Amino acid sequence: MLILAIETSCDETAVAITEDGRRVLADVVRSQADMHAIYGGVVPEIASRSHVACIGALAEMAVRKAGISKKDIDAVAVTYAPGLIGALLVGVNFAKGLALALGVPLIPVHHIRGHIAANYIAYPELEPPFVAMIVSGGNSLIADVRTYTDIRLMGATRDDAAGECFDKVARVLGLPYPGGKPLDDLAQGGDDAAFPLPRAKIEGHPYDMSFSGLKTAVVNIVHNARQRGEALDLKSLAASFAAAVSDSLVPRVIAAAEELGYDKIAVAGGVAANSRIRRDLVRAAQEAGKTLYLPPLSLCGDNAAMIGCQAYYEYLAGARADMTLNARATLDIHENAWQAAF
Ligand code: KG4
């Protein structure tokens, strides 16, 4: 089954052609990061307009790259939630138009479920059940993936997402946006115990996380040093920060797998590119006897290939949208809202 998939939930316009949930024939991603960089974060209005400007051309490009013709497409899939509402609406409306014009089904896909499916592309042998940890610029959560489409939330951040926290700390240190990678680079060779930083715990909710206190702690260290005119060991501050984020994520996902009795852990999202987090995950999974699935960096960020792969399983489970499909800025991972007419 050939699916043309569309992803426009944030600042990447992406179109892919996928086959049967596992094979990627074309994967075209246009990042807008350069446009948002001068503002230090994503500007929703600019994101929406930029999606409008290039989605048509990207869809043509994906079809061409896949070496197929439009009439070979069996279904159109689209990310409809969660994300920036204006950005999502561009993809949803484009997908509706395309599905109608081609006379094929329209498959609605939850963005975070798509991130989990990035692992099916990277690891053809991977099948549920497993525990998934998704850490990106907008989300940080741990989920129980019971089947391809029965996915339950185990815990999530109560405030900032991990990536958002990386980006804000990087901004205070004067690093470019998005700050995760530059901060990761800065941390190399730093002393990760130089700065005692908080690791938040939420009473009674072992899998929930909180990153805003950690962010504030780093910001205060930087501001206090600046006010006193003191030089800071930025390498060690970056390393201490990465260690604190990693300590907030890695033990939780291992504990979740232990509790559920699963021997597989899959990770996804842009922050999964972090070298400290990757190193800690590999070590912790090995010690706990779990198999770790860490997709390559190219599949960690937003892309439409992951949406097309999840769409196949959603389709098999009966997901079909009609022309009343609307976008949703927020939506729990286990819910669907595509049946609700607006
Ligand atoms: O999944 P993603 O590409 O986009 C969404 O948020 O949906 O994730 C982007 C996030 C940004 O916050 C970025 O700073 C962070 O992933 N990131 C990293 C690294 N590379 C990207 N954070 C920490 N270390 C990295 N190496």
Side-chain angles (χ1 to χ4, degrees), residues 1-311:
M1 180 181 189
L2 284 186
I3 295 178
L4 182 145
I6 294 164
E7 156 64 42
T8 62
S9 67
C10 190
D11 62 342
E12 264 93 25
T13 319
V15 183
I17 311 286
T18 60
E19 188 175 28
D20 297 343
R22 298 277 171 164
R23 219 162 79 79
V24 180
L25 275 64
D27 180 18
V28 186
V29 183
R30 191 204 174 261
S31 172
Q32 306 169 359
D34 52 341
M35 282 181 220
H36 302 288
I38 53 167
Y39 304 101
V42 177
V43 182
E45 191 57 30
I46 293 176
S48 311
R49 287 189 213 176
S50 175
H51 288 314
V52 171
C54 61
I55 189 154
L58 288 181
E60 295 282 353
M61 197 188 291
V63 168
R64 220 175 30 250
K65 277 196 167 182
I68 61 165
S69 95
K70 279 180 207 146
K71 62 178 187 330
D72 298 324
I73 296 165
D74 297 307
V76 173
V78 64
T79 304
Y80 76 110
L84 298 173
I85 194 72
L88 285 166
L89 277 169
V90 178
V92 166
N93 284 308
F94 186 84
K96 281 192 207 175
L98 191 59
L100 190 66
L102 296 175
V104 297
L106 175 62
I107 311 170
V109 180
H110 189 288
H111 180 72
I112 307 298
R113 288 176 176 230
H115 269 302
I116 294 171
N119 284 279
Y120 303 140
I121 304 170
Y123 302 100
E125 75 283 10
L126 177 64
E127 286 177 6
F130 56 84
V131 170
M133 181 172 81
I134 300 95
V135 274
S136 69
N139 300 278
S140 295
L141 57 93
I142 294 171
D144 172 6
V145 184
R146 298 176 179 189
T147 69
Y148 287 106
T149 52
D150 181 2
I151 303 172
R152 307 293 167 101
L153 183 70
M154 294 192 73
T157 179
R158 295 287 184 104
D159 38 58
D160 293 354
E164 197 179 342
C165 194
F166 267 98
D167 293 339
K168 286 180 179 162
V169 165
R171 186 156 75 177
V172 170
L173 298 183
L175 298 170
Y177 172 85
K181 173 82 171 80
L183 202 52
D184 193 1
D185 293 343
L186 178 67
Q188 303 307 315
D191 173 6
D192 64 4
F195 294 87
L197 294 170
R199 278 93 165 135
K201 284 202 172 80
I202 292 130
E203 195 69 39
H205 299 274
Y207 305 115
D208 279 358
M209 305 151 235
S210 165
F211 294 103
S212 77
L214 170 62
K215 173 189 71 188
T216 307
V218 178
V219 169
N220 286 343
I221 289 170
V222 175
H223 286 168
N224 287 340
R226 279 189 192 145
Q227 276 163 5
R228 294 200 191 104
E230 288 168 8
L232 265 181
D233 175 0
L234 296 182
K235 259 184 174 321
S236 296
L237 183 59
S240 302
F241 169 71
V245 176
S246 184
D247 288 349
S248 302
L249 296 169
V250 178
R252 281 185 170 88
V253 72
I254 300 284
E258 295 283 6
E259 185 186 318
L260 294 167
Y262 294 167
D263 57 4
K264 293 179 274 190
I265 294 172
V267 182
V271 181
N274 184 265
S275 61
R276 171 65 191 244
I277 297 171
R278 288 178 95 85
R279 207 165 53 238
D280 288 352
L281 274 170
V282 169
R283 190 184 317 120
Q286 207 166 26
E287 279 168 15
K290 311 284 178 201
T291 307
L292 181 67
Y293 298 88
L294 256 180
L297 303 191
S298 59
L299 283 170
C300 283
D302 286 351
N303 63 83
M306 66 187 197
I307 301 302
C309 289
Q310 180 62 22

